[in-house]
Amino acid sequence: MLILSVDTSAIASAALLTGEGQILRAFATEDTRTHAEVLAPGIRALLDEAAVAPAELDSLVVGVGPGPFTGLRSGIATARALAFAWDKPLHGVMSLDAVAAQAAPAARAAGQPEYIVATDARRKEVYWARYGTAGSAVMGTAGDAVLPELLDGPHVGPASEVPPLPAYGRGAGLYPEQLAAVAGFEGVQPTAEALGRTAAARLARGLPLLDTTPLYLRESDAKVPGPRKRAL
Amino acid sequence: MNRERPLVLGIESSCDETGVGIVRGDELLANTVSSSMDEHVRFGGVIPEIASRAHLDAMIPTLRQALDEAGVTLEDIDALAVTSGPGLAGALMVGVCAAKALAVATGKPLYAINHLVAHVGVGVLDGGTLPQNLGALLVSGGHTEILRVKSLTDDVELLGATIDDAAGEAYDKVARILGLGYPGGPVIDRIAREGNPKAIRFPRGLSQPKYMGTAEQPGPHRYDWSFSGLKTAVARCVEGFEAAGQQVPVADIAASFQEAVVDVITAKAMLACTENGISNLLLGGGVAANSRLRALTEERCAAHGISLRVPPIRLCTDNGAMVAALGAQVVMAGGEPSGITFAPDSSMPVTSVHLPPVR
Ligand SMILES: [Zn+2]
């Protein structure tokens, strides 16, 4: 099985992986403001370098956020158009799951039954969710470490409102005074690689994935205008 | 690539309409538009984030419907075209990402198209090749411009534009002042018919000699417009009636406001045409639906010996067919595809009809 994974909830990234979660090719850019420029060329190069024809793909997955709106949409718009043109199934994965999967082995090793994943939501806030290391993971199965259980979230808000648990991800690194940032994970952002592995593990176990509705978590800033201001 | 009569799919998402159009050469095959206008009503104007969200939701269904309507598949398409600017940055991004993904998925060449020039290019879908000595007057909720079009595919020049609000925006704001709802254009046009356009003399922005200069020594804004002062004048007028305890003569104000807008638009457009050798004018943009603008443009064009062409209104409002139409013209003229690395440009100048490939 071949999966193309895309995430633009923070950085822009894409990955080509097998159903067992083995990464064949991946690309990622640190720049968070040029998603519309780099994503399509990145995906084209990925397929070319891996010598994979679109017909060989089984499905696509895309990170549905939460993430800054414009960047987030660029990945979802791209994935939806690719899936439409190739006539392939497209699934959504909550983007914080990607960081949670990377954090899970460390959290287990540290004996943390619960932990927080936080990413940068700008405006002095974080996107965050609470995960558990026990419970859903089936020990001994390939990829079990990448399936921590989502207990609460995703949310958006100031770091001060996040539960006091070990915190993983760039959001934790940005607010070390409010969050118990775990060393070595202060800069971790969602990537298509980690996201794709999460999706592959869920698909392998017959667990459901999301649709591709973006998780904005915030309303648009629009305000209904008040009564007319006087010009005189 | 078929450059004789190319089958081109165009995507538009610069404001609040998600459009996908398909043309073969200068023949229109499909023009599917999904508008988020209803979602902006309570805000009295287009909210960029709401428009962007709506574009994402509407893009694939609109694309699917256009292909169905045209009876073609993505495989049949010779080239893809997308609005890369000018427009709302977040809104443009959705169409550009979708178009680039289609280019990756199908291997078809992609052309990044200028939205304003596409408002002119759409003219070929209604009556074929555009005449020489061409000008274009574009009036909509997002823009108000007069262009000289020496060559549709590679020589377009901006002669004048609004320096603040677009004419359509002025209609929206005045409709709000008069309590008429959103969008303002159609409702003011309707109510103005019952009013006296000469009841109140509203200002014609940038018409003083210091802005106009002379044909030989043009002032700084000879062909430019400004509508923000007009909006304030309407607000003052309404408040004057209210302060005096009088009933606000809504129809007279609407008619007088509309007359001021349409008079200054057409007067400056005529000046720009006659002083720049333009003998054929195309009227485009959503406000081309306004009855008074059409009537006065016709009248003044006739008086100046200028031929006028107004595409059907569904082609004047923002749509994907106009993007496909200009894309096809660029393909037929031998233009190079733009590639897939370009960035949307919210202030793309009209001198850039389509983006050259990034090398
Ligand atoms: Zn327009």
Side-chain angles (χ1 to χ4, degrees), chain B residues 189-227:
Chain B
D189 195 11
R190 186 162 40 80
I191 287 174
R193 279 174 218 156
E194 291 144 31
N196 174 8
K198 292 188 176 143
I200 302 143
R201 173 78 194 181
F202 285 123
R204 273 66 168 162
L206 302 181
S207 289
Q208 300 92 316
K210 64 175 171 176
Y211 297 121
M212 298 297 289
T214 60
E216 294 73 34
Q217 279 193 307
H221 293 297
R222 188 166 179 79
Y223 309 136
D224 292 333
W225 296 278
S226 164
F227 298 107

Short mmCIF file of all heavy atoms in Angstrom, two decimals, chain B residues 189-227:
data_model
loop_
_atom_site.label_atom_id
_atom_site.label_comp_id
_atom_site.label_asym_id
_atom_site.label_seq_id
_atom_site.Cartn_x
_atom_site.Cartn_y
_atom_site.Cartn_z
N ASP B 189 -29.66 51.00 -7.36
CA ASP B 189 -30.06 51.15 -8.76
C ASP B 189 -31.60 51.16 -8.86
O ASP B 189 -32.20 51.97 -9.56
CB ASP B 189 -29.47 49.99 -9.57
CG ASP B 189 -29.52 50.24 -11.08
OD1 ASP B 189 -29.80 51.39 -11.48
OD2 ASP B 189 -29.26 49.29 -11.84
N ARG B 190 -32.23 50.27 -8.11
CA ARG B 190 -33.69 50.14 -8.17
C ARG B 190 -34.38 51.36 -7.56
O ARG B 190 -35.27 51.97 -8.18
CB ARG B 190 -34.10 48.86 -7.43
CG ARG B 190 -35.57 48.51 -7.53
CD ARG B 190 -35.84 47.05 -7.17
NE ARG B 190 -35.05 46.55 -6.05
CZ ARG B 190 -35.33 46.78 -4.77
NH1 ARG B 190 -36.38 47.49 -4.45
NH2 ARG B 190 -34.56 46.30 -3.81
N ILE B 191 -33.93 51.73 -6.35
CA ILE B 191 -34.58 52.84 -5.66
C ILE B 191 -34.31 54.17 -6.35
O ILE B 191 -35.15 55.07 -6.36
CB ILE B 191 -34.13 52.84 -4.17
CG1 ILE B 191 -34.82 51.67 -3.47
CG2 ILE B 191 -34.46 54.15 -3.49
CD1 ILE B 191 -34.40 51.44 -2.07
N ALA B 192 -33.13 54.27 -6.98
CA ALA B 192 -32.76 55.51 -7.66
C ALA B 192 -33.75 55.85 -8.78
O ALA B 192 -33.95 57.03 -9.10
CB ALA B 192 -31.35 55.39 -8.23
N ARG B 193 -34.38 54.84 -9.35
CA ARG B 193 -35.34 55.09 -10.44
C ARG B 193 -36.54 55.91 -9.97
O ARG B 193 -37.20 56.55 -10.76
CB ARG B 193 -35.84 53.76 -11.02
CG ARG B 193 -34.85 53.19 -12.02
CD ARG B 193 -35.25 51.81 -12.49
NE ARG B 193 -34.04 51.00 -12.64
CZ ARG B 193 -33.99 49.68 -12.60
NH1 ARG B 193 -35.10 49.00 -12.40
NH2 ARG B 193 -32.86 49.05 -12.74
N GLU B 194 -36.81 55.85 -8.66
CA GLU B 194 -37.95 56.62 -8.13
C GLU B 194 -37.52 57.99 -7.63
O GLU B 194 -38.34 58.75 -7.12
CB GLU B 194 -38.61 55.84 -6.99
CG GLU B 194 -39.32 54.58 -7.45
CD GLU B 194 -39.20 53.45 -6.44
OE1 GLU B 194 -39.12 53.74 -5.23
OE2 GLU B 194 -39.16 52.28 -6.87
N GLY B 195 -36.24 58.29 -7.69
CA GLY B 195 -35.76 59.55 -7.13
C GLY B 195 -35.31 60.52 -8.21
O GLY B 195 -35.25 60.18 -9.39
N ASN B 196 -34.99 61.74 -7.76
CA ASN B 196 -34.52 62.78 -8.66
C ASN B 196 -32.99 62.85 -8.59
O ASN B 196 -32.45 63.24 -7.56
CB ASN B 196 -35.15 64.12 -8.24
CG ASN B 196 -34.60 65.29 -9.05
OD1 ASN B 196 -33.87 65.09 -10.03
ND2 ASN B 196 -34.95 66.50 -8.64
N PRO B 197 -32.31 62.50 -9.67
CA PRO B 197 -30.84 62.49 -9.64
C PRO B 197 -30.23 63.88 -9.48
O PRO B 197 -29.04 64.00 -9.22
CB PRO B 197 -30.46 61.86 -10.99
CG PRO B 197 -31.65 62.06 -11.86
CD PRO B 197 -32.86 62.06 -10.97
N LYS B 198 -31.06 64.93 -9.66
CA LYS B 198 -30.53 66.28 -9.53
C LYS B 198 -30.93 66.92 -8.20
O LYS B 198 -30.70 68.10 -7.96
CB LYS B 198 -31.03 67.15 -10.68
CG LYS B 198 -30.42 66.70 -12.00
CD LYS B 198 -30.77 67.67 -13.12
CE LYS B 198 -30.06 67.25 -14.40
NZ LYS B 198 -30.88 67.47 -15.59
N ALA B 199 -31.56 66.13 -7.33
CA ALA B 199 -32.06 66.68 -6.06
C ALA B 199 -30.91 67.22 -5.20
O ALA B 199 -31.02 68.27 -4.59
CB ALA B 199 -32.84 65.61 -5.30
N ILE B 200 -29.84 66.48 -5.14
CA ILE B 200 -28.70 66.88 -4.32
C ILE B 200 -27.45 66.81 -5.19
O ILE B 200 -27.25 65.84 -5.92
CB ILE B 200 -28.53 65.95 -3.11
CG1 ILE B 200 -29.81 65.97 -2.27
CG2 ILE B 200 -27.33 66.35 -2.25
CD1 ILE B 200 -30.18 64.64 -1.68
N ARG B 201 -26.61 67.82 -5.08
CA ARG B 201 -25.37 67.82 -5.87
C ARG B 201 -24.25 67.23 -5.01
O ARG B 201 -23.70 67.89 -4.14
CB ARG B 201 -25.05 69.24 -6.31
CG ARG B 201 -23.70 69.42 -7.00
CD ARG B 201 -23.73 68.96 -8.45
NE ARG B 201 -22.35 68.83 -8.95
CZ ARG B 201 -22.05 68.47 -10.19
NH1 ARG B 201 -23.00 68.17 -11.05
NH2 ARG B 201 -20.79 68.38 -10.57
N PHE B 202 -23.94 65.95 -5.23
CA PHE B 202 -22.85 65.32 -4.50
C PHE B 202 -21.54 65.55 -5.26
O PHE B 202 -21.54 65.71 -6.48
CB PHE B 202 -23.11 63.82 -4.32
CG PHE B 202 -24.17 63.52 -3.29
CD1 PHE B 202 -25.30 62.78 -3.62
CD2 PHE B 202 -24.02 63.98 -1.97
CE1 PHE B 202 -26.27 62.49 -2.67
CE2 PHE B 202 -24.99 63.69 -1.01
CZ PHE B 202 -26.11 62.95 -1.36
N PRO B 203 -20.41 65.54 -4.53
CA PRO B 203 -19.13 65.85 -5.18
C PRO B 203 -18.66 64.76 -6.15
O PRO B 203 -18.97 63.59 -5.98
CB PRO B 203 -18.16 65.96 -4.00
CG PRO B 203 -18.76 65.13 -2.92
CD PRO B 203 -20.24 65.26 -3.09
N ARG B 204 -17.95 65.19 -7.18
CA ARG B 204 -17.29 64.28 -8.13
C ARG B 204 -15.81 64.32 -7.73
O ARG B 204 -15.14 65.34 -7.94
CB ARG B 204 -17.45 64.78 -9.56
CG ARG B 204 -18.72 64.32 -10.28
CD ARG B 204 -20.02 64.86 -9.69
NE ARG B 204 -21.16 64.63 -10.57
CZ ARG B 204 -22.42 64.67 -10.19
NH1 ARG B 204 -22.74 64.94 -8.92
NH2 ARG B 204 -23.39 64.46 -11.05
N GLY B 205 -15.35 63.23 -7.14
CA GLY B 205 -13.99 63.19 -6.58
C GLY B 205 -12.89 63.42 -7.62
O GLY B 205 -13.03 63.01 -8.77
N LEU B 206 -11.83 64.09 -7.21
CA LEU B 206 -10.63 64.31 -8.03
C LEU B 206 -10.94 65.03 -9.35
O LEU B 206 -10.29 64.78 -10.36
CB LEU B 206 -9.90 62.99 -8.32
CG LEU B 206 -9.42 62.18 -7.12
CD1 LEU B 206 -8.70 60.91 -7.59
CD2 LEU B 206 -8.48 63.00 -6.23
N SER B 207 -11.95 65.92 -9.30
CA SER B 207 -12.32 66.63 -10.53
C SER B 207 -11.81 68.07 -10.57
O SER B 207 -11.98 68.77 -11.56
CB SER B 207 -13.84 66.65 -10.72
OG SER B 207 -14.28 65.35 -11.04
N GLN B 208 -11.19 68.52 -9.47
CA GLN B 208 -10.68 69.90 -9.44
C GLN B 208 -9.49 70.02 -10.38
O GLN B 208 -8.76 69.05 -10.61
CB GLN B 208 -10.25 70.29 -8.02
CG GLN B 208 -11.36 70.22 -6.98
CD GLN B 208 -11.41 68.86 -6.29
OE1 GLN B 208 -11.30 67.82 -6.94
NE2 GLN B 208 -11.60 68.88 -4.97
N PRO B 209 -9.27 71.24 -10.89
CA PRO B 209 -8.16 71.46 -11.84
C PRO B 209 -6.81 70.97 -11.33
O PRO B 209 -6.00 70.45 -12.12
CB PRO B 209 -8.15 72.99 -12.01
CG PRO B 209 -9.56 73.40 -11.71
CD PRO B 209 -10.09 72.44 -10.69
N LYS B 210 -6.55 71.09 -10.02
CA LYS B 210 -5.23 70.68 -9.52
C LYS B 210 -5.00 69.17 -9.69
O LYS B 210 -3.86 68.72 -9.78
CB LYS B 210 -5.03 71.08 -8.06
CG LYS B 210 -5.99 70.41 -7.10
CD LYS B 210 -5.66 70.75 -5.64
CE LYS B 210 -6.77 70.24 -4.73
NZ LYS B 210 -6.54 70.43 -3.32
N TYR B 211 -6.08 68.41 -9.72
CA TYR B 211 -5.94 66.97 -9.97
C TYR B 211 -5.98 66.65 -11.46
O TYR B 211 -5.36 65.70 -11.93
CB TYR B 211 -7.04 66.19 -9.26
CG TYR B 211 -7.03 66.31 -7.76
CD1 TYR B 211 -8.13 66.83 -7.08
CD2 TYR B 211 -5.90 65.92 -7.03
CE1 TYR B 211 -8.11 66.95 -5.70
CE2 TYR B 211 -5.88 66.04 -5.64
CZ TYR B 211 -7.00 66.55 -4.98
OH TYR B 211 -6.97 66.67 -3.62
N MET B 212 -6.78 67.43 -12.18
CA MET B 212 -7.02 67.12 -13.60
C MET B 212 -5.90 67.61 -14.51
O MET B 212 -5.52 66.92 -15.44
CB MET B 212 -8.34 67.75 -14.06
CG MET B 212 -9.58 67.26 -13.33
SD MET B 212 -9.87 65.51 -13.61
CE MET B 212 -10.40 65.50 -15.32
N GLY B 213 -5.41 68.83 -14.26
CA GLY B 213 -4.45 69.43 -15.19
C GLY B 213 -5.09 69.58 -16.56
O GLY B 213 -6.32 69.71 -16.68
N THR B 214 -4.28 69.53 -17.62
CA THR B 214 -4.79 69.63 -18.98
C THR B 214 -4.30 68.42 -19.77
O THR B 214 -3.46 67.67 -19.27
CB THR B 214 -4.24 70.90 -19.67
OG1 THR B 214 -2.80 70.80 -19.69
CG2 THR B 214 -4.65 72.16 -18.90
N ALA B 215 -4.82 68.26 -20.97
CA ALA B 215 -4.40 67.13 -21.80
C ALA B 215 -2.89 67.18 -22.03
O ALA B 215 -2.21 66.15 -22.02
CB ALA B 215 -5.15 67.14 -23.13
N GLU B 216 -2.38 68.40 -22.22
CA GLU B 216 -0.94 68.56 -22.47
C GLU B 216 -0.13 68.37 -21.19
O GLU B 216 0.94 67.80 -21.20
CB GLU B 216 -0.63 69.95 -23.06
CG GLU B 216 -1.21 70.21 -24.44
CD GLU B 216 -2.73 70.42 -24.41
OE1 GLU B 216 -3.25 70.99 -23.42
OE2 GLU B 216 -3.39 69.97 -25.37
N GLN B 217 -0.68 68.92 -20.10
CA GLN B 217 0.02 68.82 -18.82
C GLN B 217 -0.91 68.18 -17.79
O GLN B 217 -1.49 68.87 -16.93
CB GLN B 217 0.46 70.21 -18.35
CG GLN B 217 1.73 70.67 -19.02
CD GLN B 217 2.30 71.89 -18.32
OE1 GLN B 217 1.59 72.88 -18.12
NE2 GLN B 217 3.57 71.83 -17.94
N PRO B 218 -1.06 66.87 -17.89
CA PRO B 218 -2.03 66.21 -17.01
C PRO B 218 -1.66 66.36 -15.53
O PRO B 218 -0.49 66.35 -15.17
CB PRO B 218 -1.96 64.74 -17.45
CG PRO B 218 -0.81 64.62 -18.37
CD PRO B 218 -0.38 65.96 -18.80
N GLY B 219 -2.70 66.53 -14.70
CA GLY B 219 -2.50 66.59 -13.25
C GLY B 219 -2.23 65.20 -12.71
O GLY B 219 -2.21 64.22 -13.46
N PRO B 220 -2.03 65.11 -11.41
CA PRO B 220 -1.65 63.80 -10.83
C PRO B 220 -2.76 62.74 -10.87
O PRO B 220 -2.46 61.55 -10.75
CB PRO B 220 -1.29 64.16 -9.39
CG PRO B 220 -1.99 65.45 -9.10
CD PRO B 220 -2.07 66.18 -10.40
N HIS B 221 -4.02 63.16 -11.03
CA HIS B 221 -5.11 62.17 -11.01
C HIS B 221 -6.11 62.42 -12.13
O HIS B 221 -7.31 62.32 -11.93
CB HIS B 221 -5.83 62.23 -9.65
CG HIS B 221 -4.97 61.77 -8.51
ND1 HIS B 221 -4.49 60.50 -8.41
CD2 HIS B 221 -4.51 62.44 -7.42
CE1 HIS B 221 -3.76 60.38 -7.31
NE2 HIS B 221 -3.74 61.55 -6.69
N ARG B 222 -5.59 62.72 -13.30
CA ARG B 222 -6.48 63.09 -14.41
C ARG B 222 -7.51 61.98 -14.71
O ARG B 222 -8.67 62.27 -14.97
CB ARG B 222 -5.65 63.38 -15.67
CG ARG B 222 -6.46 63.95 -16.82
CD ARG B 222 -5.57 64.54 -17.90
NE ARG B 222 -6.34 65.07 -19.02
CZ ARG B 222 -6.96 66.25 -19.02
NH1 ARG B 222 -6.93 67.02 -17.95
NH2 ARG B 222 -7.64 66.66 -20.08
N TYR B 223 -7.08 60.74 -14.69
CA TYR B 223 -8.02 59.64 -15.00
C TYR B 223 -8.34 58.80 -13.77
O TYR B 223 -8.87 57.69 -13.88
CB TYR B 223 -7.43 58.71 -16.07
CG TYR B 223 -6.92 59.39 -17.32
CD1 TYR B 223 -5.69 59.03 -17.88
CD2 TYR B 223 -7.67 60.40 -17.95
CE1 TYR B 223 -5.22 59.64 -19.04
CE2 TYR B 223 -7.19 61.02 -19.09
CZ TYR B 223 -5.97 60.65 -19.63
OH TYR B 223 -5.50 61.26 -20.76
N ASP B 224 -8.00 59.31 -12.59
CA ASP B 224 -8.26 58.53 -11.38
C ASP B 224 -9.58 58.94 -10.71
O ASP B 224 -10.08 60.04 -10.93
CB ASP B 224 -7.13 58.73 -10.36
CG ASP B 224 -5.83 58.09 -10.82
OD1 ASP B 224 -5.89 57.11 -11.60
OD2 ASP B 224 -4.76 58.58 -10.42
N TRP B 225 -10.08 58.04 -9.88
CA TRP B 225 -11.30 58.32 -9.15
C TRP B 225 -11.07 58.24 -7.64
O TRP B 225 -10.10 57.63 -7.18
CB TRP B 225 -12.39 57.28 -9.49
CG TRP B 225 -12.82 57.32 -10.92
CD1 TRP B 225 -13.73 58.16 -11.48
CD2 TRP B 225 -12.37 56.44 -11.97
NE1 TRP B 225 -13.88 57.87 -12.82
CE2 TRP B 225 -13.05 56.82 -13.15
CE3 TRP B 225 -11.47 55.39 -12.04
CZ2 TRP B 225 -12.88 56.19 -14.37
CZ3 TRP B 225 -11.27 54.75 -13.26
CH2 TRP B 225 -11.97 55.14 -14.41
N SER B 226 -11.97 58.88 -6.89
CA SER B 226 -11.99 58.75 -5.44
C SER B 226 -13.45 58.76 -5.01
O SER B 226 -14.21 59.62 -5.44
CB SER B 226 -11.25 59.92 -4.80
OG SER B 226 -11.57 59.97 -3.42
N PHE B 227 -13.83 57.79 -4.21
CA PHE B 227 -15.24 57.70 -3.80
C PHE B 227 -15.44 57.84 -2.30
O PHE B 227 -16.57 57.81 -1.82
CB PHE B 227 -15.86 56.38 -4.28
CG PHE B 227 -15.87 56.25 -5.78
CD1 PHE B 227 -14.99 55.38 -6.43
CD2 PHE B 227 -16.74 57.01 -6.55
CE1 PHE B 227 -14.99 55.27 -7.81
CE2 PHE B 227 -16.74 56.91 -7.93
CZ PHE B 227 -15.86 56.03 -8.57
#
